[in-house]
Amino acid sequence: DSNRKILDLERLKAIPELEEHRITLEMVGEDDASIEEAEAEYEERLSWITMQSKRLERARDNPKAKEYFAREPNMLEGFDRMWVSAIDSPCLNNLVGVFRDYGIQFSDNFDDWVDQSSEDGQWSIEDVASYKARKVFDVTGLPCIASRTSFEVEPARPFEPAPGRVNNMNPKVATGYKFNNVGEHVDYLVEALKPQSDPTRVTRFETCMVYYDGEMEIRDWGVCDCDIHYASSVRSFIPMSSAINEMMQSLQLTLGLEYQHWLKAKKREALHGQSGVTLKLRDRVLKEAKVLPNQIIDVSSFMDSQIDVNLMDECAEELANRFISMKPTKIFTVATTGLVIAIPMAKYLNIPCVYARKERSVVMADTFSAGYSSKTVGKNRELLVSTKHIDEDDRVLIVDDFLSSGSSQDALLRICSEAGATAVGVGVLMEKIYDSGRKSLSGYGIPVESLVGVKSVSEGILRLQEEEGIDDM
């Protein structure tokens, strides 16, 4: 279906594990113009659907609705994102329960959709779910998850009547049926067909679930096939549950959602506190770091050209403690900037430190290599490491000074994959929160730890992300 699309496609394609999930990653054009044209055509197509939700229309006309949907998520309950849904109410608790572990709170659910014409019953479940998600987003301004479930009965299988008998099966019984919605009509039909159908006649419930946030659309499906003898509208819970779980996995990879992020943050706070080396490093960054053109952060006075070895040693001990439970066997970094933290970390973990070179050495014969782009240098580079230094038995911890776009860390992880080694985590001194590094690495499914997060460098002013409790000190 050429109308299935996901915007921000390049960011999604950078996640290797997305291939394992039923997520549409289909290009609709070669350039922005063709993408916009395809989107306009699809919007025009969906505009022919006339189904309505009375509650959504009331929200559209209610002056207080905008304030209601713009409210902040309940941080005390561990939520950090506010979404909205348009699924069948009996399945809402399942959706809320799955997504709450990832910090997502649902502001409301619009489940009262009613067909306004006979044509509304002819649309595909993909089109209907997409229509609902987009309509709800237009009114609420919140990312929306919507669904639609279809029911299908296969045509009766032909059979030879007994000798002397005539096949008198009613054509209405023999024909196949398909509805793009599930309700009481499904139970009525099944009860009418059961007495005259083979008990193993197959029925299918299929759910399409759509996520839409104004920039991209993601689809996932759930399917349940069962014999007509066991069919009823209650079976629609099975494909709905499957679609919810599939959507959760797709969004976890796409948006970098972290399981029980709130509890992990509290655990880190309890283990590491708000004092000590983290505050020391923050203090040095605020006092001495400079913002250069191209959003480059200059920390050469204490962790590059000139190194505060005592501070780096304390930082290394802190990061080493965060990853000691992962049982790494080697630290892997980039020469030379990553060595300031990698070497002392290797000392605390009592494991070797391996670094990738940016140029081939005369002592390097067979190598693993991976390309990456460097904003600091301003060109594409290549990392190389001898095949003797990393093997399939290693549990590798990636360590670097900065996490920005994630390009160099991704290159190191690709080298680990090529060597057959197991990557157990990524640890950095500083992370540019405003950049895409953490999201670009989310597909690897490994923990990423940083000591200081840089929130922005706009207008040459360096702003750090405040940790929980900092403002109260």
Side-chain angles (χ1 to χ4, degrees), residues 434-447:
Y434 57 87
D435 216 329
S436 59
R438 186 174 288 265
K439 287 185 179 179
S440 69
L441 301 179
S442 61
Y444 289 101
I446 56 177

Side-chain angles (χ1 to χ4, degrees), residues 403-411 435-438 440-441:
L403 172 60
S404 51
S405 68
S407 179
S408 61
Q409 291 82 13
D410 176 70
D435 216 329
S436 59
R438 186 174 288 265
S440 69
L441 301 179

Side-chain angles (χ1 to χ4, degrees), residues 334-378:
V334 178
T336 56
T337 54
L339 291 172
V340 297
I341 184 66
I343 291 176
M345 279 187 69
K347 178 189 72 172
Y348 284 108
L349 292 170
N350 195 27
I351 57 177
C353 174
V354 178
Y355 65 88
R357 296 175 179 267
K358 298 171 185 176
E359 295 180 358
R360 184 176 295 274
S361 168
V362 293
V363 298
M364 298 174 72
D366 297 330
T367 61
F368 298 120
S369 63
Y372 75 105
S373 61
S374 173
K375 184 182 292 186
T376 305
V377 179

Side-chain angles (χ1 to χ4, degrees), residues 15 27 57 137 164 185 199 208 222 303 339 359 373 383 398 406 411 460 469 471:
I15 303 175
M27 291 284 295
E57 293 306 313
F137 173 81
H185 57 281
C208 175
M303 53 182 281
L339 291 172
E359 295 180 358
S373 61
L383 296 180
I398 307 298
D471 292 332

Side-chain angles (χ1 to χ4, degrees), residues 125-145:
I125 56 175
E126 291 80 8
D127 287 336
V128 173
S130 178
Y131 170 83
K132 291 163 63 176
R134 290 165 183 253
K135 285 294 184 182
V136 173
F137 173 81
D138 289 343
V139 173
T140 65
L142 295 173
C144 178
I145 292 181

Side-chain angles (χ1 to χ4, degrees), residues 152-307:
E152 185 175 359
V153 182
E154 71 170 1
R157 304 181 188 117
F159 66 94
E160 292 293 332
R165 292 182 175 270
V166 179
N167 185 354
N168 291 324
M169 179 175 284
N170 189 322
K172 292 184 179 180
V173 175
T175 191
Y177 292 86
K178 184 172 184 178
F179 303 94
N180 81 342
N181 198 7
V182 173
E184 293 181 349
H185 57 281
V186 167
D187 296 322
Y188 293 150
L189 177 65
V190 168
E191 291 303 315
L193 295 179
K194 271 184 183 180
Q196 302 181 63
S197 295
D198 186 322
T200 62
R201 187 176 182 180
V202 177
T203 66
R204 166 170 289 191
F205 295 86
E206 181 175 14
T207 296
C208 175
M209 188 156 288
V210 170
Y211 167 88
Y212 183 74
D213 63 5
E215 294 184 356
M216 65 180 176
E217 179 176 306
I218 300 176
R219 297 176 181 178
D220 271 301
W221 290 262
V223 177
C224 172
D225 291 339
C226 68
D227 296 341
I228 195 169
H229 182 74
Y230 299 104
S232 73
S233 58
V234 176
R235 301 293 177 188
S236 62
F237 287 96
I238 298 174
M240 177 67 79
S241 178
S242 176
I244 289 173
N245 290 327
E246 289 291 325
M247 179 61 73
M248 182 67 261
Q249 294 180 58
S250 297
L251 291 173
Q252 183 181 3
L253 293 170
T254 307
L255 304 179
L257 302 178
E258 184 179 1
Y259 180 72
Q260 293 186 344
H261 169 75
W262 181 73
L263 289 178
K264 290 180 180 179
K266 289 295 183 183
K267 179 182 177 182
R268 286 195 294 268
E269 180 182 338
L271 290 175
H272 311 303
Q274 298 299 333
S275 60
V277 65
T278 300
L279 293 181
K280 287 183 181 180
L281 182 58
R282 287 173 58 89
D283 185 61
R284 292 295 291 274
V285 171
L286 290 172
K287 288 180 178 179
E288 301 181 31
K290 300 176 182 178
V291 179
L292 303 180
N294 203 22
Q295 295 189 339
I296 295 173
I297 301 175
D298 178 12
V299 288
S300 58
S301 64
F302 60 94
M303 53 182 281
D304 192 353
S305 303
Q306 178 174 281
I307 300 171

Side-chain angles (χ1 to χ4, degrees), residues 12 24 59 64 69 79 87 96 108 152 168 191 209-210 217 223 239 247 276 337 340 384-385 388 392 421 431 448 454:
L12 297 179
T24 306
K64 296 183 179 180
F69 291 117
F79 297 110
I87 70 171
V96 171
D108 207 335
E152 185 175 359
N168 291 324
E191 291 303 315
M209 188 156 288
V210 170
E217 179 176 306
V223 177
M247 179 61 73
T337 54
V340 297
L384 305 111
V385 65
K388 298 178 183 179
E392 60 185 12
E431 177 183 359
V448 178
V454 181

